[in-house]
Amino acid sequence: MKSFRVAILGCGTVGGGVARILLDLGKQIAQRSEANIEIAKIADIFPARSAQRHGIPRELFCGTADELTKEESNKFIQEIIADPTIDLVVETIGGTSQFLLDIMLNVLKAKKHLVTANKAMLAHHGDEIFAAAEANGVSVGFEASVCGAIPIIKAVRECFTGDKINSVCGIMNGTSNYILSKMKAEGLSFADALALAQKHGYAEADPSLDINGGDAGHKLAILCRLAFGLAIKFEDLSVTGIENITKEDHDFASEMDATIKLICYAKNDGDKVYACVHPMIVRNENLLSDINGATNAVLLQNEYSTEHVLIGKGAGSLETGSAIVGDIVFISKYAECISNKQNIANVKLADVDDMEFPYMAIFGTNNTPGITGAITTAIGAQNINIDTVGHNYHTNGATTFTVTTMPCKLSQLKAAIAQIKAERADILVGTPKILPVLY
Amino acid sequence: MKSFRVAILGCGTVGGGVARILLDLGKQIAQRSEANIEIAKIADIFPARSAQRHGIPRELFCGTADELTKEESNKFIQEIIADPTIDLVVETIGGTSQFLLDIMLNVLKAKKHLVTANKAMLAHHGDEIFAAAEANGVSVGFEASVCGAIPIIKAVRECFTGDKINSVCGIMNGTSNYILSKMKAEGLSFADALALAQKHGYAEADPSLDINGGDAGHKLAILCRLAFGLAIKFEDLSVTGIENITKEDHDFASEMDATIKLICYAKNDGDKVYACVHPMIVRNENLLSDINGATNAVLLQNEYSTEHVLIGKGAGSLETGSAIVGDIVFISKYAECISNKQNIANVKLADVDDMEFPYMAIFGTNNTPGITGAITTAIGAQNINIDTVGHNYHTNGATTFTVTTMPCKLSQLKAAIAQIKAERADILVGTPKILPVLY
């Protein structure tokens, strides 16, 4: 049986999970996959603490000190890269520094396979990383980078190869989903729900990337590349977070039998791909409306096999660790057969302003007569059919007023709002909010 | 780019879907998978009709007549098996005849890969088929055999390799699920719901295998082999269908916020595997309770990545066809690396009488005083804790009476019923029905 030697860079929550599973399942993997996967070395800045935390033999770690200096740590990483007996390197350090990018590229240049959960790095520097893998004939495994344990990457790469993926739609960030779920279930404000998420360990001390849609955007960018062959620049992706979602927005959603979710959405439309991360009004007949807490879910619409839903845990030490180990096993089994060619298709990112959806526009207005007529007339003037007009909440003399449209382009609705602003700035309080409605 | 030549045996609903997709997606597959997959030959007994039905060029079919004789058809199949330019054979004839088994074994002996949707054949003769594949160094693809388009086979084989599957639980037969869904939603009797399923094309003229649990059992047997390494004889699997489920049973389920579903259940318990196909009372908080109509869903409980749900279409020409094409692409890409070794583990099928579940027992009784006491006393005497006692329906002087237990072994409940039968045969009408309760 061939031996397959793996080094792990970074032994925190995820790296520790990888080591733990490899130690536990070694025999099972050897039996099922005919590969003897060994941990060659683990490089971590706190070897003693990480060994104890995850129950990993201390001798697997580089260095003898309890804490390594940056220089020592770097030296050990360079030794791993130079070690010809190591077949594959797991990167679980995280972040998007040039320092880390260089390490990842050097791993590939040393003709070692790379497995990573680093969605931010792949979203920002996927071009370079995948090109280096292709040039050096080695593989990049990144199942763990999108929706943790859900096997969405392999589903797209290896399962739906006898099909055409028409759209991808999902809840891909557990923290924001936890916050939105709590706001809905317990009527909390955004700030209170965020505080609760932090208290229970569902949100980091700095939760920016989770709540501003950035983390979800990283995952969507990776999926767009894979499902549609879109060479996407992350900066070009339209990303809106949940920071401005209020308790009142949830009430409006509930009134129309819907739930607000942060949705990653991408649709292949011939030679272009519509893609965005945006809070959406998800109708309760859509299964995504019922995905709560830290769970992730992805809904694919395929040309032949039609609708698929995959649901699972989006994060966690062993959950994400198991996805990484799955990648290691796959590469150890199939390395000689895997094509590392990038599949870039002749498609480009479409302008989200052209994206057709039913939309809900939420207007803060003064509480004076004539507002309903002014707003709905302006919307009608843009050739938009109105589906429903929402209830008003009269608080402190102000009114919140919603219009839900039949499918139209975002640009049409924006033009209507611009006209209202131009002609009746006196009736608006704040900036109207636009949320797509997902059936 | 390597060329990969495929022959299709049987061009009905599924085989036609395979040909249609290969013709449509050839270019995309070539680009993404670097394999030029060609249809070498299609053998079907009605070449003209099948060509027209699926829009496939007539010249791809063996023979020139509109209808082939059995001898001609067999001669063409033998020619395909003998053709050294053909790499892979798709079997979409169906059935479990010795004639077809011989064809499948001969395909493998001719060192051609085999892709099939034939769950019945794999459940009954998997041992022989997989042994022949191993002996001849070729692969068997059978994604389409379990839950149509849901990539459950590849998920188990290639994705969750960094994990341990603890249990598999799912709705794997669309026809029976359609019938149960209609019974619940519209209050229909079993007979009326079955007639409706036949009218709308969801059930065959002979629906036996769908309603008696046989088809679901075939799929569960295949999954038990794959997920747990269980060398299972299909005859040993405990299979109960939905023929005896009544409108009243649905009412009892609804009263306890649950839904009756035909469930395929298997659980790994150390050196043994509990497995059965049985109608179960599925609590409405379990996502499977909400899978309606012809949709299939599988819920896996894994050791590390915890809960996964996969939902999709369980049948259909293009749905099942796309799963077969996915297998063809996978084999064409990875043939040289795929291990065809069977993974038989040291586990055996456990006795279902030892299976611990909460159970609901439904008793038909006379309408006389003392029945509740007699039945619950007998159940208590078997050391079973009772969870709830269900409402009674008094019809024609008879009573239906249910007891739902806390988790106990099936054998305990059977012993209680045996005791009631022995001591109070006078109060029972018909045979009590036992349904596991799934949380």
Side-chain angles (χ1 to χ4, degrees), chain B residues 291-423:
Chain B
I291 302 297
N292 292 310
T295 302
N296 282 195
V298 187
L299 197 155
L300 299 174
Q301 285 287 355
N302 290 354
E303 181 71 18
Y304 300 110
S305 60
T306 72
E307 188 171 297
H308 290 269
V309 186
L310 290 90
I311 305 170
K313 292 285 172 288
S317 171
L318 295 169
E319 292 85 345
T320 311
S322 82
I324 288 183
V325 177
D327 270 350
I328 298 172
V329 172
F330 193 86
I331 293 173
S332 78
K333 280 166 82 174
Y334 297 116
E336 282 91 56
C337 295
I338 296 175
S339 162
N340 299 297
K341 200 168 102 6
Q342 294 188 76
N343 288 308
I344 300 302
N346 192 20
V347 289
K348 59 179 209 296
L349 189 64
D351 187 342
V352 283
D353 275 2
D354 292 335
M355 196 164 77
E356 282 203 20
F357 256 102
Y359 289 97
M360 178 188 274
I362 304 173
F363 298 86
T365 68
N366 290 324
N367 187 14
T368 50
I371 290 175
T372 306
I375 289 177
T376 55
T377 301
I379 289 174
Q382 293 298 328
N383 214 16
I384 299 170
N385 263 328
I386 290 176
D387 184 10
T388 59
V389 172
H391 298 244
N392 304 338
Y393 291 99
H394 295 254
T395 322
N396 308 323
T399 297
T400 311
F401 172 74
T402 69
V403 174
T404 306
T405 72
M406 300 295 283
C408 68
K409 290 189 177 178
L410 180 57
S411 57
Q412 289 172 270
L413 192 54
K414 282 184 173 175
I417 290 172
Q419 199 194 331
I420 298 164
K421 275 185 179 166
E423 293 173 9

Side-chain angles (χ1 to χ4, degrees), chain B residues 163-275:
Chain B
D163 214 324
K164 230 180 91 186
I165 297 172
N166 290 332
S167 71
V168 174
C169 183
I171 295 172
M172 306 194 191
N173 178 274
T175 305
S176 57
N177 198 47
Y178 176 92
I179 292 170
L180 291 173
S181 299
K182 284 288 168 190
M183 287 177 78
K184 172 168 178 161
E186 297 172 25
L188 300 182
S189 68
F190 172 77
D192 288 346
L194 170 59
L196 196 69
Q198 286 174 314
K199 185 178 153 196
H200 291 298
Y202 289 112
E204 316 269 336
D206 174 7
S208 316
L209 275 177
D210 288 321
I211 63 173
N212 71 12
D215 175 79
H218 294 149
K219 295 164 184 168
L220 185 62
I222 293 170
L223 280 181
C224 281
R225 176 185 289 271
L226 213 60
F228 310 125
L230 180 69
I232 190 175
K233 266 196 160 55
F234 179 70
E235 297 71 29
D236 296 340
L237 184 66
S238 169
V239 173
T240 305
I242 62 166
E243 312 94 316
N244 296 322
I245 298 297
T246 63
K247 198 176 154 324
E248 287 73 27
D249 298 337
H250 279 280
D251 292 336
F252 279 118
S254 294
E255 273 171 28
M256 60 182 285
D257 282 331
T259 305
I260 298 179
K261 295 289 183 189
L262 183 66
I263 296 292
C264 294
Y265 177 85
K267 187 181 173 186
N268 197 351
D269 186 17
D271 58 354
K272 55 187 184 297
V273 172
Y274 289 99

Side-chain angles (χ1 to χ4, degrees), chain A residues 24 28 31-32 34 149 158 162-164 227 304-306 308-311 313 322 333-334 337 339 343, chain B residues 24 28 31-32 34 149 158 162-164 227 304-306 308-311 313 322 333-334 337 339 343:
Chain A
D24 286 355
Q28 174 190 302
Q31 197 184 348
R32 292 207 189 157
E34 298 185 80
E158 309 294 352
D163 214 322
K164 231 181 90 186
Y304 300 110
S305 60
T306 73
H308 290 269
V309 186
L310 289 90
I311 305 170
K313 293 284 172 287
S322 83
K333 280 166 82 174
Y334 296 115
C337 295
S339 162
N343 287 309
Chain B
D24 286 355
Q28 173 190 303
Q31 196 185 347
R32 292 208 189 158
E34 299 185 82
E158 309 294 352
D163 214 324
K164 230 180 91 186
Y304 300 110
S305 60
T306 72
H308 290 269
V309 186
L310 290 90
I311 305 170
K313 292 285 172 288
S322 82
K333 280 166 82 174
Y334 297 116
C337 295
S339 162
N343 288 308

Side-chain angles (χ1 to χ4, degrees), chain B residues 47-69:
Chain B
R49 202 178 68 184
S50 297
Q52 195 181 12
R53 174 178 169 202
H54 299 288
I56 302 165
R58 176 67 181 82
E59 60 269 25
L60 287 176
F61 287 78
C62 299
T64 51
D66 279 0
E67 180 177 349
L68 306 187
T69 63

Side-chain angles (χ1 to χ4, degrees), chain A residues 244-246 249 360-364 417 431-435:
Chain A
N244 296 322
I245 297 298
T246 63
D249 297 337
M360 177 188 275
I362 303 173
F363 298 87
I417 290 172
T431 304
K433 200 182 293 181
I434 302 176
L435 302 178

